[in-house]
Amino acid sequence: MSSPVPEGKRIGRYEIRAKIGEGGMGEVYAARDEHINRDVAIKLLPSAFSADADRLRRFQQEAQAAGSLNHPNILVVYDVGTHDGAPYVVSELLEGETLRDRMAGGPLPQRKAIDYGLQIAHGLAAAHEKGIIHRDLKPENLFITKDGRVKILDFGLAKLIRVDTDQAQTDIPTRRVDTDPGVVMGTIGYISPEQLRSKPADHRSDIFSFGAILYEMLSGRRAFRGESTADTVSAILREDPPDLSQTNRAVSPALERVVNHCLEKNPEERFHSSRDLAFAIEAVSGSASISSSSDTVLAAIPASRKKRLDLLGWIAAAVFLVTTVVLAGLYFRRTEQPAQTMRFPLPAPEKLDFRGELALSPDGRHVAFVVTGVGGKSLWVRSVDSLEARELPGTSDASLPFWSPDGNSIGFFASNKLKKTEIAGGAPQTLAEVTTDARGAAWGADGTIIFTPGFTVPLLKVSADGGTVEPATELDASREQTSHRWPSFLPDGRRFLYFARAKKKEAEGIYIGSLDSKEGKFLLSTNLRATYASGPNGTNPGYLLYMRDNTLMAQSFDPASSQLTGEPSIVAEGVLSFPEEGGPTGYAAFSASTNGHLVYLQGNITLLQPGWFDRAGKSLGDVGSQGLWYEPSQSPDGKRVAFGRTDSSATDIWLLDLTRGTTTRFTFDAAPDVCPVWSADGNRIFFSSSRNGGIFNLFQKISTGAGSDELLLTTDHNKFANDWISGDAGEFLIFESDSPKTRFDLWVLPLTGERKPYPFLQTEFNETHSQFSPNGRFVAYASDESGRAEIYVQTFPATGGKWQISNGGGDQPQWRGDGKELFYVAPDKTLMAVPIASADSLEPGAPGPLFSTRVQSGSLTGDRNHFMVTADGQRFLVNNLLDGGNRNPITFVLNWAANFKR
């Protein structure tokens, strides 16, 4: 652009508000997207960059790919386009300063450099895993927001730029860093050796640039600095930077080794991935001494709390936390255990919440736990004598961790697979497929893992090295058992405890199984899991730990004779448990080591509150009462809503009258009834129920509640109703069904003629949560064929085209009544809207955010939907969580049984 864009001028749909920056890469403006009432930043690039059509096309492709990234440490790209022949990029509008400005020519404190470095590494890892390389990483392209978040800028722009090392310094396509004579400008000081040699650049080139940046943050000077461009290029190719210890004696040797490993000339000798790099930085941050860790805690005091009284509170909390870590450290270095029980808290990592899934290592030194945040959920590990926790690479979407007997590996479930990973790092290994929501696993001394792959099946077993999956237990039909779950091994390594669900409540409880037999022996009546725990100093016999309501109990138990003796005693009250969630899951948040230690998490089941919201997210009032509500479905006349609802007795279908605000129970079976779907005339409701042998089958019932429930379809696999359509071609119910071979597939059941079901989409991936378009010509659904859940639309029947609708992850699709808009929930729980230009030919536009929600963190094989939309697309009934997550700390108990009497 030859002249600034005036205020008020429109670029596409964006209205320019003010110019906020410029440089060799173009001009940056603050603008307003009036279409969705959002402030944005627009980078308008020089028009010369659009002269090469192929070059521009490649830039647009990569910028769009970068825009699909959804990570807190990467600038969100909303749009790309051209204006008056000049390409532009639309992104989120940030407040703060660049890393260059933050450094201001001097070093940063080591703890701050580590914090920024770790955030950058996580952002790079997210991009690299999607095959996106930055190629031009430098302090100018790293932005520090006012809340301390690092954002990586300008992904995709590097492919537009061609760096020519023969150019004069002033021609290098980036803005001047400073104006001192002889100072190298811009990109050259951070380019990897292979880039300078015109060799292909991959993710390791970004790691080299990262090393140069981290070096500069720690030393206050460039890693490679010459009197001219040629001198700097020569230094990058042939010289090592001065030792960090020469420029900053406070830098730890471990951190210096990390920097040097990044700056290796040969890419093969650098970190192999940004995940490995992040892991190394976390290890360095976690290896600090107790005194330095306390400094870190005190340094993290929020600016808004530095008033005197608040500061005293933070100092007291920090001192207490450090003291407990010191006690833990001293304890684990003793040769004898103390005579009394000791308890101390382990808080969740900053800005994350515990999900309740935790496991204590056999030696009691480490806690594995699942946390959730904006980026989803993942698996973390913390040493009990450390202030720091670290995320395990490759554990996105992880749940239900369990330890190997030697404490070196952790098993977990993720993306419909049973996996294991080493706590020292490395990529997780898949051991087996799971079809639906898993219900726990345990790792035996001989290398056998027993696990529950779903919620209506017995236990299975597989080798910890992978291989053939075999049955470990059988459901006892005489006891009307419907599921075996939450296994835990006894000390002999052959027998194990497990929880059995049963229609006969007197048969529901804890059983003892064996690797040598599929039969189980009843031990204790309860509706929650139990585990064996050794006595003081790891002695046996020990105790059975189990739940009574929300109280953790201990009772003397001899594993050799399988006998309970004495009276139970209270260990802890208010322990988080899930006795009723879509039917009893039986999970409780506690775990014991083999040498007398214990962890547990306190809290309650988070309730939901349905409520109406407009398109801007403004609350229009609550609907109904607080409770456990699932999968709302509105009647065709808009007057009633069918819900799945869990109360003290069971999960059933309930009807909510929107006019009167009253609720009425619709189904009454003791087995879970879920997934209500209305017929087009509003006269029937279709649903799924596990009342026949534990498998979810399809039923229908007259919507007035009259008459009995009618079985529509029974098969050997679970079936969950999704949607119903009626038209010239007939009436069809679309549902999802699980399969050991193809996971979740979409099937269609004709409701006229022979009623013979047939597959609609059946692949090696999961296809779920399908919805017919109002005209019946298309089906919107969620699939993980790209590696994560995205929204797609397929013609109905599936003989025509397919479109990917979401571009940054998505689930729970819902159509507007006229088919000209499609809504879904993004991974960060934002409700998204996609305009459809033609409901007949399907011409989808770009997704745009409407408002943030507090819906549950769903999964592709979990609840069908947590919201619904009115026919005109103006109001949304949303099942919002009353609390975003569990903010209670994990309680660690040293020598929990020391004071118990047998």
Side-chain angles (χ1 to χ4, degrees), residues 144-208:
I144 314 298
T145 65
K146 288 186 175 181
D147 63 355
R149 177 81 68 180
V150 179
K151 292 278 189 175
I152 306 176
L153 313 181
D154 287 353
F155 267 107
L157 296 188
K159 202 160 191 174
L160 183 65
I161 308 167
R162 291 172 178 166
V163 177
D164 185 351
T165 57
D166 293 332
Q167 288 177 287
Q169 240 180 299
T170 55
D171 294 331
I172 296 173
T174 186
R175 72 181 180 86
R176 180 183 294 272
V177 173
D178 53 44
T179 57
D180 294 340
V183 173
V184 175
M185 288 180 283
T187 309
I188 289 297
Y190 307 92
I191 286 182
S192 66
E194 59 270 23
Q195 286 175 283
L196 291 175
R197 291 189 172 102
S198 298
K199 293 183 177 181
D202 61 15
H203 63 278
R204 294 168 298 183
S205 298
D206 282 351
I207 290 175
F208 183 91

Side-chain angles (χ1 to χ4, degrees), residues 45 68 216 378 414 448 481 544 575 650 694 826 850:
L45 304 174
S68 70
E216 191 168 342
S378 59
T448 299
Q481 292 179 347
L544 184 74
V575 175
L850 292 182

Side-chain angles (χ1 to χ4, degrees), residues 609-691:
Q609 176 62 70
W612 287 107
F613 295 84
D614 65 15
R615 290 179 70 94
K618 178 183 177 181
S619 175
L620 304 177
D622 293 338
V623 175
S625 59
Q626 301 174 5
L628 296 176
W629 301 81
Y630 310 98
E631 302 175 318
S633 177
Q634 191 171 20
S635 62
D637 61 8
K639 295 181 179 180
R640 292 183 293 173
V641 177
F643 280 94
R645 176 182 172 184
T646 297
D647 61 14
S648 59
S649 59
T651 295
D652 287 287
I653 306 301
W654 290 66
L655 300 182
L656 170 65
D657 188 310
L658 294 175
T659 303
R660 296 182 297 164
T662 58
T663 55
T664 305
R665 189 172 177 178
F666 183 69
T667 62
F668 297 86
D669 196 90
D673 299 331
V674 297
C675 303
V677 171
W678 292 84
S679 63
D681 57 12
N683 291 331
R684 289 172 291 168
I685 295 178
F686 307 97
F687 61 95
S688 300
S689 178
S690 63
R691 62 186 66 177

Side-chain angles (χ1 to χ4, degrees), residues 23-34:
M25 273 302 297
E27 300 167 341
V28 184
Y29 295 87
R32 181 73 174 173
D33 185 348
E34 298 291 352

